Amino acid sequence: MLLTRVLTALVLLPLMLAALFLFPAEAWACFSWLIILLALWEFSRMAGMAGAGKWLYLAASSALAAAAWFSHYRLGPAEHALTLAFWLLLVPCWLAKRWRIRQGLAAWLLGWLLMLPAWFAFLEWRPQPGAADAFALLAVMGLVWVADIAAYFSGKAFGRRKLAPSISPGKSWEGVYGGVICVALYVALVDHLGWIDIGLPIWALLLLALPLSAVSVMGDLLESWFKRASGIKDSSRLLPGHGGVYDRIDSLIAVLAVSNALRALGGM
């Protein structure tokens, strides 16, 4: 299994980096939407969508994305505030109460709240091809990867106290602490390299890294709960050794959406 995971990553990572640094804006929009669309398809399975209703949802989602692209629409302050309210207020309540996804319009709206702000973040963090924008977005994505990898190995080595045993038994508080420490070191490195130029001193960047690390964990736990509530192990089997696309970007969509909202509203 580990070999399969590594081989899949060795294929996907160069593809992602090539798209990030080389694709023109239109191709990047299509590429990033494909990622989001696949995750939406997997979410629709968890939400109990089936048959024509599922394909109608995916078609409507793509139509919304196309309309936004061709009309040059971008999220405004109200949408960014809604994104922050969703991830910082609603999601913690969702995890505490262990709500199940309601079918119908509620499921449609939930999927859009999860995925669309992340897609806009892909576009807004990287509006044009080139090193500056690409490195900025790579730095944000790297924060998620560092948090995930550090939490995994810290949890394996030191994990004693379970974080959310009824949702994701493998996660521990020690893993979270290890992830936060490594994210802090990563942010200091990224700041030194100049990948993100947002005019904040290093201490402010480190303070921002803490809530983003928490958001990363919440994104992971939320998808874990969706899977547990729907009785499935992986969101799909699209990525050998990794499960589905949503499995790989559950934390990323949360951090992208929140970081983009904070930046737009003046916090980053």
Side-chain angles (χ1 to χ4, degrees), residues 177-247:
Y177 300 149
V180 169
I181 292 171
C182 289
V183 164
L185 296 173
Y186 168 79
V187 168
L189 175 63
V190 167
D191 179 66
H192 177 73
L193 295 174
W195 284 12
I196 298 184
D197 184 14
I198 55 177
L200 292 178
I202 182 60
W203 64 265
L205 289 174
L206 291 173
L207 286 178
L208 279 171
L210 293 176
L212 288 179
S213 297
V215 167
S216 175
V217 173
M218 286 192 293
D220 191 343
L221 287 176
L222 185 63
E223 198 238 358
S224 294
W225 170 242
F226 288 160
K227 290 188 294 185
R228 183 170 289 270
S230 60
I232 62 176
K233 183 178 184 295
D234 297 316
S235 58
S236 77
R237 297 182 180 179
L238 286 177
L239 306 177
H242 291 266
V245 173
Y246 191 11
D247 290 322

Side-chain angles (χ1 to χ4, degrees), residues 62-264:
S62 295
L64 281 176
W69 173 257
F70 287 111
S71 65
H72 305 287
Y73 176 80
R74 293 296 182 267
L75 299 183
E79 291 92 338
H80 286 305
L82 177 61
T83 297
L84 291 178
F86 174 74
W87 282 109
L88 302 181
L89 298 177
L90 182 59
V91 170
C93 291
W94 198 297
L95 293 172
K97 301 294 186 180
R98 300 191 188 98
W99 294 325
R100 293 179 179 269
I101 302 172
R102 294 185 178 180
Q103 295 188 9
L105 180 59
W108 282 44
L109 294 176
L110 177 60
W112 289 339
L113 274 171
L114 285 166
M115 303 297 176
L116 288 180
W119 181 62
F120 280 106
F122 272 128
L123 304 183
E124 292 168 17
W125 272 109
R126 193 267 200 191
Q128 297 294 332
D133 291 336
F135 274 118
L137 179 53
L138 181 61
V140 175
M141 294 191 294
L143 182 148
V144 177
W145 300 335
V146 168
D148 185 45
I149 294 171
Y152 175 80
F153 284 105
S154 298
K156 285 289 186 182
F158 308 109
R160 296 293 184 272
R161 295 174 297 163
K162 299 298 183 181
L163 176 64
S166 62
I167 296 176
S168 184
K171 292 181 175 57
S172 66
W173 280 106
E174 289 79 8
V176 172
Y177 300 149
V180 169
I181 292 171
C182 289
V183 164
L185 296 173
Y186 168 79
V187 168
L189 175 63
V190 167
D191 179 66
H192 177 73
L193 295 174
W195 284 12
I196 298 184
D197 184 14
I198 55 177
L200 292 178
I202 182 60
W203 64 265
L205 289 174
L206 291 173
L207 286 178
L208 279 171
L210 293 176
L212 288 179
S213 297
V215 167
S216 175
V217 173
M218 286 192 293
D220 191 343
L221 287 176
L222 185 63
E223 198 238 358
S224 294
W225 170 242
F226 288 160
K227 290 188 294 185
R228 183 170 289 270
S230 60
I232 62 176
K233 183 178 184 295
D234 297 316
S235 58
S236 77
R237 297 182 180 179
L238 286 177
L239 306 177
H242 291 266
V245 173
Y246 191 11
D247 290 322
R248 291 301 90 210
I249 67 168
D250 50 8
S251 296
L252 182 61
I253 61 170
V255 171
L256 279 175
V258 171
S259 64
N260 191 45
L262 290 173
R263 184 178 66 156

